[in-house]
Structures are given as C-alpha cells and as structure tokens.
Amino acid sequence: MFDDSNRIFQTSILIDLRSVVMAVLWLSLLIVAFHFIRRRTRLIQNFGIVTLVIMLGFMLVRSFAPLNFSFTKNISSTIYGNISYFFTEFELFRIPGIDFPVTPLVVLFLVWLVGAVVSFLLFLRKTRKTMKLYRSTMHHPLAQEQRILDEVVCAEFGRKNRFRLRHAMVNTPLTYGFFRPTILIPLGQIYNERELYCVLLHELTHYYHRDSWIKLLVQILCCLFWWNPLVYLFQKDVDQTVELHCDASVCAKLTSQEQCDYLSAIANTLQFSKKINKLMAQQTGAVSKLASDDGKEQLKQRLNILMKISESPKHTKRYYFFACLLMAVVMLFSYLFTFTPKYTQYGKLEEMVEGAAITQESCYLAEYPNDCYFLILNSPEFEGYIDAIVPLDEDDLVQEALEVYRLEVHQVTENELISLFAKAGFEDPETTFEFFAQAYFPNAS
C-alpha cells in the first residue's frame, strides 16, 4: 500500500495520537524494568550506579520525545482499532452553535488536560508554601560553618563559593534554588567539623550533578501523566537513584576514615530526623532528602552500598560507552514500530466515498505498483465509466477493503492505470498519474 516511507512529500518526524500512546506504553514498561533493577542492590553494585543513571537519562528522553519517524513501521491491531473507533468516531453530542461533535476522545483529552493543569498548580502551591516556610525560619550560620562551606567549594570543586548557608526548619539537610542555591541545615542539628564537611559535600555534589533539574523533569512527567500510578513509583526510584549516585561520587573523593565520617553524618541526620518528623510534614521538591517515612528500604540499600563501595568493581569509560550504546539501541528499537487501528466491524471506506455503496459488483481494487492500491467505483449509470478513484493510503483501509468487503484485486500496468484515470473524467490522466507516481511510488519502474 501507500506506506509513508515511500512518499517524497513526507514528514520525517511526526507527533500524533499513536506516538503518544506508544510513548506511554514504553514509559510504563521501562518504569517496571527500572524499578526491578533499582531494587536489586547486587545488580547495582556489579553494574555500577552510573549505569542506572544512564538508563534514567534515556528514559527521560523517550518520555519527552513521543515521535514517529520515517522508518517507524505500522502494526495493525484489531483491539486497538475497535478502541480507537469508539473514542474517535462515536459521537456523544454536538455543541450547539458551532456544530462541534464531542467524542469520548475529546472528553478524555479535556479530563487529561484539566488533571495536568490542576496537578501542576498543586505542585506550584506546595513549592511556594515550602519556600515560604524555609524563608520564615532561616538563620545565618556560624562563622566556622561558613568557613567550612568555602573550604569544600574551593578544595573539592575548584570554584569560587556562591552558595548561601542557612539554618532553617527542615528535618534533613537540603539544597533549593536553581540559579541562587541555598543549603539549609536543620535547626538544632549538631555536626562536628568532619560531619559538616561531608554533609556540605553531599549537597554540593547534588547541585553540580544537576539533580534538581532531573527531579523537576520527573515532576513535570508526574503532572502530565497524573493518572498513571507508575510515574509516582518512577519518581521514588529517581529520588533513590540520584541519592545513590551522589553517595558514590562523594565517597570516591574521601579516604576510608572520611567515609566513616560520612556514614556517621547520615546516621546523625537520621536520628535527628525521626525526632522532628513528628512535628512537621515531610517536605518535598528539594534536591536532597536523606530520610523519609517510607524510605526504610531505600536507606538500607544506601547503607549497604556505602559500606561495600570499596568492594564494588571499578568500571572503565569503555564499559559506560557500551552501556550508553546498549541503551541507545533499546530506545531506537522503541521507535521501530507503532500500533495502528485495524477495523473489523466499523467501516471507513464509505466515509471516503461520501456514502457510496461498496459492493463486490460495483467496486474492486487496482494494484499498481506492488502493494499500492486504488479503490475503483464503477458507474452504475454509464457502463465503461468510473465514478471515483480513491488511493488507499492507510493499512486499515486496505484491510477493510480486503477482509470486510472482500473486493477483488486487479493488478494493472502504468498504461492501464492512466486509462482508469481517463474513465474517471480526469482532464489530463497522464499528469494525474505523474502526480501519484511522484507522491507515492517514485521508485516504481
């Protein structure tokens, strides 16, 4: 048939309903796989936390790029066809005045849109409320604490300090702000110098890894697909992944003794968090969260990885190159095919010919070249004339003509097809043929 890949007037990249559906399906499948891998501590230790981060990156790209390419192949699905017909063709009512037909797809889209807007507004409201709480309880740090922050930024990252350090009503250390970052230390939390050094190094590593931007993208994903429970599972897994990545990056810069201080800082923070957690709700939207009410399993995993980080295999750049290559192949595979509706009990051919009766006696398919079909409607009034010639440029139309109406297929030559155009009343049949040839089958001999 007239496949999109044969056309010279084609769009190389396309976003449509089918591509969005495929993006949702692939995202859900990848979330399940990502969750399975993330929960396996030994897998992470053997294959590396960076491998998990690479997988996360490709998942975000696939989520925000619901595209159909010129090489994407269509796979017909009867179930998808029946569902698609109900949502796109079944008319619930018409809006008076503008005569706009309201289908289930329109209702579904409006519900989706309203839910996404409400989810985004709730996120903004919660973020604003959280920022207001932070600012209302902020206190300047001690001179010694500011000195340690300057030392960490200069010694570990080789940059001039542009971070602010404050004490505030938070239950764990965290960093907020995309362009003017502020590190918050819980009020009443006491760290010794080495523990504070490790805590600040942890927060600065989060910032330079751009973890806040990753979490923002995932939050947008949750707002867009608010109805999919898997995206909230994905959000928790992303939080844990960035924490594991940050832990590994920090420990790579520390000696064995300093790693012990790092573990001590985490334990100290968790003990303090349990006390204050009963007095205030768990804050969200921040870069770092060392403890949470439902984070026992995540915390156990972090500690297990930290205690055995020296035993974990060290991977080379070549290993991560092949990991990226493998993820790229998986993402490319996800674009190789898409499901298209295959209609069995609902017809669309009659809509294309304005309700004309399609029967085996009055219609047949002309095939030129191979797998390119034209629907031929013979004139009931004048023998030898044709009422209409319709190119069937979709798989489901061809399937309907062959399986529902059981029309015969006549293979025709170039001259015979031009003759059919003449019988259909085209003023210049040869020019009409040239148009179809250039548009649909330029490589046909």
Side-chain angles (χ1 to χ4, degrees):
M1 64 159 293
F2 304 116
D3 191 78
D4 290 339
S5 61
N6 294 330
R7 301 187 183 185
I8 60 173
F9 305 114
Q10 63 176 315
T11 303
S12 297
I13 300 177
L14 175 67
I15 300 178
D16 56 16
L17 180 60
R18 292 178 302 170
S19 62
V20 173
V21 170
M22 289 301 296
V24 173
L25 291 176
W26 274 104
L27 175 62
S28 300
L29 180 63
L30 291 174
I31 286 175
V32 173
F34 186 78
H35 180 70
F36 175 82
I37 296 173
R38 203 280 302 161
R39 286 177 59 90
R40 293 334 186 247
T41 302
R42 286 192 176 183
L43 278 179
I44 297 176
Q45 289 173 333
N46 292 330
F47 294 102
I49 299 172
V50 176
T51 306
L52 201 63
V53 175
I54 292 172
M55 185 177 179
L56 169 62
F58 277 98
M59 288 178 65
L60 290 175
V61 171
R62 184 64 179 91
S63 303
F64 288 96
L67 306 174
N68 279 337
F69 294 90
S70 58
F71 56 78
T72 303
K73 300 300 180 182
N74 296 324
I75 299 179
S76 298
S77 171
T78 301
I79 297 177
Y80 182 38
N82 295 337
I83 295 174
S84 175
Y85 182 87
F86 171 76
F87 280 100
T88 60
E89 302 298 331
F90 184 75
E91 185 177 316
L92 299 175
F93 60 90
R94 286 183 174 268
I95 299 178
I98 60 175
D99 196 33
F100 180 79
V102 177
T103 63
L105 181 63
V106 174
V107 176
L108 191 64
F109 175 75
L110 289 177
V111 172
W112 188 342
L113 181 62
V114 170
V117 172
V118 171
S119 297
F120 188 70
L121 291 178
L122 289 176
F123 166 66
L124 291 180
R125 180 175 176 270
K126 191 172 186 178
T127 301
R128 182 179 179 182
K129 185 178 179 180
T130 301
M131 294 300 103
K132 184 178 180 180
L133 174 64
Y134 292 164
R135 295 189 181 98
S136 64
T137 60
M138 279 187 187
H139 294 281
H140 287 278
L142 301 175
Q144 183 180 5
E145 295 172 331
Q146 185 64 47
R147 176 185 60 79
I148 295 176
L149 175 62
D150 296 337
E151 179 183 342
V152 175
V153 175
C154 181
E156 302 293 344
F157 299 97
R159 305 187 184 188
K160 184 179 179 180
N161 183 23
R162 61 188 184 91
F163 294 83
R164 295 186 303 173
L165 181 62
R166 297 289 187 271
H167 289 272
M169 184 63 69
V170 294
N171 56 355
T172 63
L174 56 88
T175 303
Y176 80 91
F178 294 98
F179 304 105
R180 295 185 61 189
T182 300
I183 300 176
L184 300 181
I185 302 296
L187 285 170
Q189 177 75 66
I190 300 176
Y191 294 109
N192 59 42
E193 289 193 12
R194 291 308 309 169
E195 290 176 345
L196 181 60
Y197 188 97
C198 293
V199 168
L200 296 178
L201 180 57
H202 179 96
E203 296 304 322
L204 291 169
T205 302
H206 269 307
Y207 180 80
Y208 286 116
H209 281 178
R210 302 294 187 266
D211 289 341
S212 57
W213 292 99
I214 294 176
K215 289 192 174 185
L216 179 61
L217 286 176
V218 175
Q219 181 61 55
I220 293 174
L221 201 65
C222 289
C223 293
L224 289 176
F225 299 103
W226 55 270
W227 47 267
N228 188 349
L230 288 176
V231 297
Y232 303 103
L233 176 65
F234 181 56
Q235 188 176 42
K236 292 181 181 180
D237 286 336
V238 170
D239 289 345
Q240 178 70 353
T241 300
V242 296
E243 291 297 337
L244 293 175
H245 187 215
C246 184
D247 287 339
S249 299
V250 170
C251 287
K253 301 176 181 179
L254 303 178
T255 63
S256 298
Q257 180 59 47
E258 290 171 337
Q259 289 179 8
C260 293
D261 294 332
Y262 185 69
L263 287 171
S264 175
I266 294 178
N268 194 359
T269 299
L270 291 175
Q271 185 177 6
F272 178 83
S273 179
K274 289 180 180 179
K275 296 178 182 179
I276 198 172
N277 217 28
K278 298 179 181 179
L279 303 176
M280 59 177 293
Q282 181 72 30
Q283 304 298 320
T284 58
V287 172
S288 178
K289 197 164 48 174
L290 293 181
S292 61
D293 292 335
D294 59 346
K296 292 182 179 180
E297 180 267 334
Q298 290 88 342
L299 174 62
K300 182 179 178 181
Q301 184 183 51
R302 287 182 63 189
L303 294 177
N304 287 337
I305 291 178
L306 283 173
M307 288 186 292
K308 298 181 179 180
I309 196 167
S310 60
E311 303 174 9
S312 300
K314 306 301 180 182
H315 298 296
T316 63
K317 292 182 179 180
R318 178 179 296 181
Y319 170 85
Y320 291 120
F321 170 78
F322 284 109
C324 288
L325 185 62
L326 177 61
M327 300 298 175
V329 170
V330 173
M331 190 171 73
L332 178 63
F333 178 79
S334 71
Y335 287 109
L336 288 181
F337 64 91
T338 184
F339 292 110
T340 57
K342 176 183 177 183
Y343 300 98
T344 56
Q345 54 181 323
Y346 307 107
K348 280 195 170 184
L349 281 180
E350 292 187 357
E351 297 178 8
M352 298 186 64
V353 296
E354 299 181 352
I358 300 177
T359 65
Q360 295 179 354
E361 291 75 20
S362 62
C363 304
Y364 66 92
L365 298 183
E367 182 182 9
Y368 179 85
N370 292 334
D371 297 327
C372 294
Y373 299 93
F374 293 85
L375 175 64
I376 310 298
L377 282 80
N378 292 318
S379 173
E381 300 178 358
F382 303 99
E383 187 176 352
Y385 287 88
I386 296 175
D387 272 352
I389 297 180
V390 181
L392 305 185
D393 56 354
E394 295 183 9
D395 285 332
D396 59 282
L397 295 176
V398 177
Q399 294 284 351
E400 184 182 353
L402 296 176
E403 298 180 6
V404 178
Y405 293 99
R406 300 183 182 279
L407 300 182
E408 293 184 358
V409 178
H410 297 174
Q411 291 185 335
V412 297
T413 64
E414 175 181 331
N415 291 333
E416 289 173 337
L417 185 57
I418 293 175
S419 177
L420 291 176
F421 288 140
K423 292 179 180 180
F426 289 98
E427 295 182 359
D428 191 344
E430 293 186 357
T431 301
T432 303
F433 173 82
E434 289 295 331
F435 168 78
F436 280 105
Q438 293 178 11
Y440 292 112
F441 41 90
N443 298 322
S445 55

